[in-house]
Amino acid sequence: MLDTTTALQTALMAGAADAETPFADQEALEASIRSARDALIASQHPDGYWCFELEADCTIPAEYVLMMHYLGEIDRALQAKMAAYLRAHQQADGGWPLFFGGELDISCSVKAYYALKLAGDAPQAPHMDRAKEAILTHGGAARANVFTRITLALFGQVPWRATPFMPVEILLLPPWFPFHLDKTSYWSRTVMVPLLILCSLKPQACNPHGAHIRELFEVPAEQETRYFPVRSSLNRAVLLLERFGRVLEPWIPRRLRARALRKAETWVVERLNDRDGLGAIFPAMVNAVEALDCLGYPPSHPDRAAAREALQGLVVDRGAVAYCQPCFSPVWDTALACLALQDTGGADAQAAVRRALDWLQERQLLEDTGDWRGKRPRLRGGGWPFQFRNSHYPDLDDTAAVAWAMDQTEDPAFSDSIRRAADWICGMQSRNGGFAAFDVDNTHTYLNEIPFADHGALLDPPTADVSARCLTLLARLGGDRGAYRRALEACLAYLRAEQEANGSWFGRWGTNHIYGTWSALVALEQAGVEPEHPDVRRAVAWLKGVQRPDGGWGEDNDSYWDPQKAGRGDRSTSFQTAWAILGLVAAGEVDSDSVRNGVEHLLRTRRPDGTWEDADFTAPGFPRVFYLKYHGYSQYFPLWALARYRNLAQGQSA
C-alpha cells in the first residue's frame, strides 16, 4: 500500500497530474496534504508513538480536587489552576454540561460546584450563586447520579442510605450467581472493586476546611426526589432485595467481611498497573487511591505512591489553567496516525509509520494475564491496550486498527503480530457475530436494573463500530485461514442487522451515526460488498442527506438522546467531515458532488500550520453519561480523508 501511494504521489509531483480529476484545485489539495502530513509527523514522539490530549467534561478535574480534599493532600497551586478551568467552562445558565454547548448536567454541576467551594470560592460569589440556582432549578443535589452520591457520602453530605447497597462480599459470589463481577464491563469492574471497599468501610473524607454543600439540597417539597426512583418492575424487586440486605449488613460475620476485603485488596493491587494506574482510567484510579488509604496504606507505601503518581501523570498544565485527562490514548492515536500517513505516501511518512509500528509491536499483549481469559482461558493473547500499559484489558478496536496498519505495510516482519491479533479477535467474537470493546458476550442486560447501574453503562455488548473495525481486518486476511472466513461472515451478518432504518449505523465510541456509518462502509468495502448493494446505497443516501450547506458534516452529542438529530449539528467539524468523506469514497462515491464539497470544506478550514481546530467533543466514553474530546481527531482524520480521496481520484483517472 505504501509503495503504491508513494508512486501516485511521485507521479503527481513530477507533473503527471495532467489527467482529469474530480477536484479542480489539485495544487491546493496537494499543499494541504503535505502541510497536514508534516504537522502530524512533527508531533510524533521520539520513541515513535503519538499521544494527543484527551479531554473530558468538568467532572474529572472536579473529582481531582475532591480527591485532594478527601486525602487531605492539597496541592494549592494545582487546585487554583483546576478551579480556574472549572470557572472558565461554566455555562451561561450557571451549570456545567457533559460536553461543550450541551445542557446542564446535574451530577457534573454538583461536583464542579463542590470542588470550587473546596478550593475557596465563596458561595456568595456571582458565579457560585448562579451555579446554586441552576442546580436547585434542576432538582438539587439529591438528583445527582450514584457515583456523585457516593462521593457526597464520603464527605458526609448525604447519608449512606442515599447510595446503593454494595457490600464487599459481592466479590465472594460464585460465577453462576445472577450478579458476578465477570458479568460486568472492564471499566465497571475496575471502578467497582475499590468502591466496594469504600462503601463497606464507609470512611469519612479529611475535608480539612469542613466545606459543605447543604445549600444544594434546599429545594421546595414538591421538587424533592427519591434517591432511587423505580425504573421497572424488575428494578422494584431489586430495590426491595437491597433494602433487605442493608438491614442484614450489621450481622455479616467479621471473618467473612475480612475475607472479602482481602480479596478486593488483592484484586486491586494485582491490577494497579504500576504507574499507569488501575484500569488506566481516571475513575478507577481515584477509587484505588482512596481505597488504599482506607485500608491503611500510608502515602509512602510503594503501591499507594505509584497509584498517586499515575493520577498526577494525567494532569495537563496550561499555565493559568489545568485539567486532568481521563486516560491516555497512545495506541489508538498511533494506529490512526499510521493509517492516515500510509495514504499520504512519501519517504518521511513511511519512516514515521515504521517507527510507530515498531513501537506498537513491542507492546502487543501476547502472554499477559487478562480478565478476558475468564471467558476464553485457552485463547492465546494478541491484543493491544488503548493506553501505554493496561495488560489486563486489551482493546479489540485498537487491536484491529493496529493490525490493519501493519498489514498495509506488506512487511513480513509484522506477520506474526498480525496473525496473533487476528486469532485473538476471532476468539473474542460474541455469539451474535459482533465484537465488543473488551469482553465476550457481556450482554446481561438485566444488570442495568440494579441501583448502581443508573448510568446505563455497566455492560460491554457488541457494537457496530468495533465490529466494523474487526471485520475490516478479517476481510483483509479472509483468504488466509478458514477460521477468519467464518468469523467474517458472522460479523458481516451482524453488521447488516445493525443498520438503522434511516441507513446509518450507531456510533458507540465516536459521535455518532456519522462515525458508525464511516466504520461500517469501510468494512463493507473491505468485505467485498459492492457499492450497488442496497445497504450501501441506503447509507450513502443518508450521508448525503445530512451534509451541511457549507459542504461539511457535523453531528452533536445530543443525537444520543434524540434519534431525530442523527447526523445533524449546529456546525461542521473537520473530523466528522473526514469520516463522511472516508465512508463515501469507500462506497464508490469519489466522483460525487458530496465528496467534492466535503474536500473543499476541509481545504477552506485548514489552519496555516496544516492542522484543523474543533471545539467539539468527538466521542462518548459512555453515551448520555460521559464524553470525550480527542485532540488528535482534528489532525489525522482530515489528512486521511484528503489523502484517500486524492489517491482514489488519481487511480480512477489514470
Side-chain angles (χ1 to χ4, degrees):
M1 174 65 77
L2 281 176
D3 292 340
T4 303
T5 303
T6 304
L8 283 168
Q9 188 186 41
T10 302
L12 282 167
M13 301 306 293
D18 54 345
E20 292 184 5
T21 72
F23 183 70
D25 195 345
Q26 189 70 25
E27 184 177 346
L29 177 62
E30 287 298 336
S32 294
I33 292 171
R34 281 197 305 273
S35 61
R37 177 198 64 196
D38 293 346
L40 184 58
I41 293 173
S43 64
Q44 187 175 23
H45 190 275
D47 288 346
Y49 64 85
W50 281 269
C51 187
F52 294 93
E53 287 182 32
L54 183 58
E55 194 170 359
D57 63 74
C58 287
T59 300
I60 301 297
E63 287 179 350
Y64 198 102
V65 173
L66 286 158
M67 176 199 66
M68 291 194 289
H69 285 260
Y70 172 88
L71 297 171
E73 301 171 4
I74 303 170
D75 181 335
R76 298 193 181 280
L78 178 59
Q79 175 180 265
K81 293 180 179 183
M82 288 191 170
Y85 180 91
L86 293 174
R87 293 186 208 105
H89 288 84
Q90 186 179 17
Q91 296 200 136
D93 63 5
W96 286 263
L98 295 178
F99 48 86
F100 300 152
E103 295 184 359
L104 176 147
D105 179 77
I106 190 69
S107 299
C108 180
S109 297
V110 168
K111 284 186 174 178
Y113 178 94
Y114 199 6
L116 287 174
K117 195 169 182 183
L118 289 167
D121 286 19
Q124 298 81 19
H127 68 286
M128 294 291 281
D129 188 61
R130 285 192 299 114
K132 182 188 74 172
E133 291 305 315
I135 291 168
L136 292 177
T137 299
H138 285 76
R143 290 197 176 179
N145 63 20
V146 160
F147 290 118
T148 302
R149 294 205 303 273
I150 291 174
T151 298
L152 296 181
L154 290 169
F155 277 81
Q157 302 305 296
V158 297
W160 280 100
R161 68 175 180 275
T163 69
F165 178 55
M166 295 174 58
V168 70
E169 288 76 17
I170 286 173
L171 293 182
L172 303 179
L173 295 172
W176 53 261
F177 199 78
F179 181 90
H180 188 268
L181 201 63
D182 290 348
K183 293 178 179 176
T184 65
S185 63
Y186 127 65
W187 55 85
S188 296
R189 269 171 262 154
T190 54
V191 168
M192 192 185 306
V193 175
L195 272 186
L196 293 176
I197 296 171
L198 294 169
C199 290
S200 296
L201 297 181
K202 299 178 176 58
Q204 285 293 296
C206 289
N207 194 7
H209 304 309
H212 67 82
I213 53 167
R214 288 192 290 271
E215 64 271 21
L216 299 187
F217 293 89
E218 297 172 355
V219 297
E222 62 271 15
Q223 289 188 24
E224 290 182 358
T225 184
R226 298 173 61 181
Y227 284 121
F228 300 109
V230 176
R231 303 194 299 265
S232 68
S233 56
L234 178 57
N235 177 247
R236 184 190 301 275
V238 172
L239 288 171
L240 290 173
L241 288 173
E242 183 190 60
R243 189 178 304 170
F244 181 67
R246 198 184 296 274
V247 171
L248 294 180
E249 185 177 18
W251 282 272
I252 294 176
R254 290 184 179 180
R255 287 187 179 181
L256 186 64
R257 171 137 295 184
R259 177 185 164 199
L261 285 169
R262 284 194 302 272
K263 184 168 183 176
E265 179 183 0
T266 300
W267 194 97
V268 169
V269 170
E270 180 185 334
R271 292 163 176 77
L272 278 179
N273 215 16
D274 195 26
R275 284 169 173 77
D276 290 276
L278 177 62
I281 52 175
F282 176 86
M285 293 157 68
V286 166
N287 292 345
V289 170
E290 294 179 355
L292 292 175
D293 174 76
C294 182
L295 291 170
Y297 284 62
S300 60
H301 190 283
D303 288 337
R304 177 169 165 178
R308 191 74 170 84
E309 186 176 336
L311 284 166
Q312 292 167 345
L314 292 173
V315 172
V316 175
D317 191 331
R318 292 179 174 168
V321 299
Y323 74 93
C324 185
Q325 300 177 92
C327 65
F328 292 119
S329 56
V331 173
W332 187 238
D333 283 334
T334 302
L336 294 172
C338 285
L339 289 166
L341 288 173
Q342 285 175 326
D343 264 323
T344 67
D348 290 345
Q350 289 189 61
V353 168
R354 183 59 195 236
R355 290 195 304 273
L357 293 181
D358 286 344
W359 182 85
L360 285 166
Q361 189 174 36
E362 294 175 358
R363 281 151 184 81
Q364 190 172 19
L365 303 173
L366 300 174
E367 307 300 337
D368 302 72
T369 299
D371 284 3
W372 58 271
R373 292 186 185 276
K375 288 280 187 71
R376 296 290 186 267
R378 297 183 184 85
L379 179 62
R380 294 197 309 167
W384 277 269
F386 179 80
Q387 304 91 344
F388 284 106
R389 175 186 166 105
N390 195 7
S391 59
H392 276 78
Y393 305 107
D395 181 337
L396 276 82
D397 213 358
D398 286 79
T399 300
V402 172
W404 176 8
M406 287 181 169
D407 182 63
Q408 289 197 147
T409 68
E410 299 180 358
D411 189 333
F414 297 120
S415 296
D416 288 343
S417 294
I418 296 168
R419 186 180 67 254
R420 287 291 294 269
D423 289 348
W424 182 71
I425 286 173
C426 284
M428 294 293 288
Q429 190 168 30
S430 291
R431 283 190 292 267
N432 64 3
F435 293 90
F438 301 93
D439 287 294
V440 179
D441 294 321
N442 198 259
T443 54
H444 304 279
T445 54
Y446 62 85
L447 291 178
N448 287 324
E449 301 300 330
I450 67 174
F452 178 76
D454 70 342
H455 54 293
L458 194 69
L459 306 175
D460 181 19
T463 60
D465 44 6
V466 176
S467 299
R469 212 93 57 232
C470 294
L471 177 60
T472 297
L473 175 66
L474 296 178
R476 295 183 64 88
L477 309 175
D480 293 348
R481 299 180 63 178
Y484 298 167
R485 175 57 57 183
R486 290 191 295 273
L488 185 155
E489 291 173 352
C491 186
L492 182 58
Y494 166 83
L495 194 62
R496 286 176 170 171
E498 286 294 302
Q499 189 172 20
E500 303 284 337
N502 62 14
S504 70
W505 277 269
F506 178 78
R508 166 60 180 86
W509 297 100
T511 305
N512 174 349
H513 293 81
I514 298 175
Y515 179 87
T517 304
W518 153 63
S519 302
L521 285 174
V522 171
L524 294 178
E525 177 201 26
Q526 292 290 324
V529 177
E530 295 296 328
E532 295 77 21
H533 192 282
D535 293 345
V536 176
R537 300 327 302 165
R538 288 168 56 219
V540 167
W542 180 82
L543 279 173
K544 290 182 177 181
V546 297
Q547 188 170 18
R548 294 176 54 77
D550 63 3
W553 280 264
E555 180 175 4
D556 293 341
N557 285 294
D558 291 332
S559 63
Y560 286 101
W561 282 272
D562 184 358
Q564 298 302 314
K565 295 183 178 181
R568 304 187 184 279
D570 293 335
R571 56 188 171 272
S572 298
T573 66
S574 68
F575 55 91
Q576 288 168 325
T577 299
W579 294 339
I581 292 170
L582 288 166
L584 287 171
V585 299
E589 292 289 318
V590 69
D591 284 327
S592 69
D593 289 341
S594 288
V595 168
R596 188 180 303 113
N597 292 337
V599 169
E600 290 175 347
H601 174 81
L602 290 180
L603 297 184
R604 286 196 309 272
T605 55
R606 178 178 63 88
R607 299 191 299 185
D609 65 356
T611 65
W612 287 261
E613 178 60 34
D614 290 300
D616 300 74
F617 273 44
T618 59
F622 312 113
R624 306 186 185 184
V625 178
F626 183 64
Y627 291 85
L628 303 166
K629 179 181 178 181
Y630 287 82
H631 286 232
Y633 278 17
S634 297
Q635 314 309 318
Y636 40 72
F637 276 121
L639 170 61
W640 190 2
L642 292 178
R644 189 72 181 148
Y645 167 79
R646 186 269 316 270
N647 297 342
L648 290 173
Q650 288 297 312
Q652 287 186 4
S653 61

